[in-house]
């Protein structure tokens, strides 16, 4: 089998397309045209002699072979970046206090930290998982350096994308038929609760709050047990639960404005500069595939 060497540029192009969700989103990050990005992917597929990506109208999907190569590609690029940083990189150290709500942590924060940690191993990251309503005042007081938040309509931070909100219920219980409909909600000041109540009011539906908690795990348990239906961010809705909509007598919900919010107290930190920039570059097109 005559296999070609896998060039760093091809692997970087492949990983960037996966992380950003499309060729058009990857192009500006790679400082290449969309056609050049497509050509790089073609060369990589020719080198490994298999298809790596399935490109549909709205999204990019990995083939099984692409999933395997992605793991190797990330490791190769991480080691390559580590070698470059050892000779030419900026030495960073210190501690970053980073806040994120539970529902954004896995999908949106994990890929960012996977890219940041190998490049800046001297930086310690303290992760604080709380709801946005708790993180926002902590950013403004300087208690946290940086946070990924759902902003409450004010111009807090740097807007990255709009996260869809959905009604969720257990397929075993048709609670949406009840009058008043039982709902589980977050704390009183949360945007999710306001959106749920406004949507029910517009549909002329009566409701009763049967569970209230800032815990995502608690919200999921309330839905799974048949206690209530709830409003979740789309990225946090478990696959085994049912997404409800107009056919269930439930109206649309306003999407969340997701932003990266930085404290004034961290303005002189180069470590926070780099993580803030990486959050923006990685997540700005996270949903706009």
């Amino acid at each position: 089998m005559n296999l070609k060497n896998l060039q760093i540029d091809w692997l970087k192009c492949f990983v960037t397309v996966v992380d950003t969700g499309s060729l058009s989103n990857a192009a500006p990050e790679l400082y290449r045209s969309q056609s050049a990005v497509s050509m790089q992917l073609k060369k990589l597929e020719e080198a490994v002699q298999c298809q790596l990506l399935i490109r549909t109208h709205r999204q990019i999907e990995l083939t099984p072979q692409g999933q395997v190569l992605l793991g190797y590609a990330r490791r190769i690029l991480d080691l390559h970046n580590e070698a470059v940083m050892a000779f030419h990189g900026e030495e960073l150290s210190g501690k970053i206090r980073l806040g994120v709500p539970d529902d954004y942590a896995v999908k949106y924060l994990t890929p960012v930290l996977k890219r940041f940690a190998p490049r800046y191993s001297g930086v310690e990251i303290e992760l604080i998982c709380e709801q946005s309503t708790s993180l926002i005042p902590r950013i403004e007081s300087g208690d946290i350096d940086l946070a990924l938040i759902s902003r409450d309509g004010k111009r807090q931070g740097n807007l990255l994308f709009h996260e869809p909100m959905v009604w969720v219920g257990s397929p075993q219980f048709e609670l949406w038929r009840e009058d008043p409909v039982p709902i589980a909600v977050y704390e009183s000041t949360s945007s999710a609760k306001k959106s749920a109540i406004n949507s029910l009011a517009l549909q002329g539906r009566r409701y009763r709050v049967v569970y209230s908690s800032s815990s995502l795990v608690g919200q999921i348990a309330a839905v799974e047990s048949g206690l209530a239906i709830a409003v979740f961010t789309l990225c946090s809705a478990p696959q085994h639960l049912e997404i409800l909509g107009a056919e269930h007598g439930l109206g649309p919900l306003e999407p969340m404005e997701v932003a990266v919010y930085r404290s004034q107290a961290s303005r002189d930190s180069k470590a926070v500069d780099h993580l803030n920039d990486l959050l923006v570059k990685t997540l700005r097109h996270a949903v706009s595939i």
Side-chain angles (χ1 to χ4, degrees), residues 164-232:
M165 301 293 292
V166 292
W167 288 104
V168 175
S170 170
Q172 301 176 36
F173 307 97
E174 296 185 341
L175 299 180
W176 49 272
R177 293 184 183 277
E178 295 188 14
D179 182 26
V181 60
I183 62 173
V185 298
Y186 290 103
E187 65 270 27
S188 60
T189 56
S190 75
S191 298
K193 179 179 180 180
K194 294 174 185 176
S195 181
I197 291 174
N198 289 340
S199 178
L200 290 170
L202 289 172
Q203 295 298 114
R205 297 291 304 270
R206 297 193 304 159
Y207 69 90
R208 56 190 175 94
V209 176
V210 298
Y211 181 84
S212 181
S213 171
S214 60
S215 166
L216 176 62
V217 174
Q219 296 280 330
I220 293 174
V223 174
E224 287 178 333
S225 64
L227 181 64
I229 63 172
V231 169
F232 289 173

Side-chain angles (χ1 to χ4, degrees), residues 87-118:
F87 290 93
H88 306 290
E90 182 179 10
E91 290 290 337
L92 292 180
S93 61
K95 181 177 180 179
I96 301 175
R97 296 162 299 178
L98 177 62
V100 63
D102 288 340
D103 47 351
Y104 295 152
V106 175
K107 181 171 182 179
Y108 297 127
L109 195 58
T110 298
V112 175
L113 295 181
K114 279 184 177 180
R115 297 172 66 182
F116 183 86

Side-chain angles (χ1 to χ4, degrees), residues 101-105 107-108 131-132 149-150 161-168 186 191-192 216 219-220 230-239 243 253-258 287:
D102 288 340
D103 47 351
Y104 295 152
K107 181 171 182 179
Y108 297 127
Q131 290 300 310
S132 296
I149 62 163
S150 297
F161 58 88
H162 290 83
E163 172 69 21
M165 301 293 292
V166 292
W167 288 104
V168 175
Y186 290 103
S191 298
L216 176 62
Q219 296 280 330
I220 293 174
V231 169
F232 289 173
T233 51
L234 181 60
C235 68
S236 67
Q239 292 186 355
I243 293 180
L253 298 156
E254 288 293 323
M256 290 288 189
E257 290 188 351
V258 181
V287 176

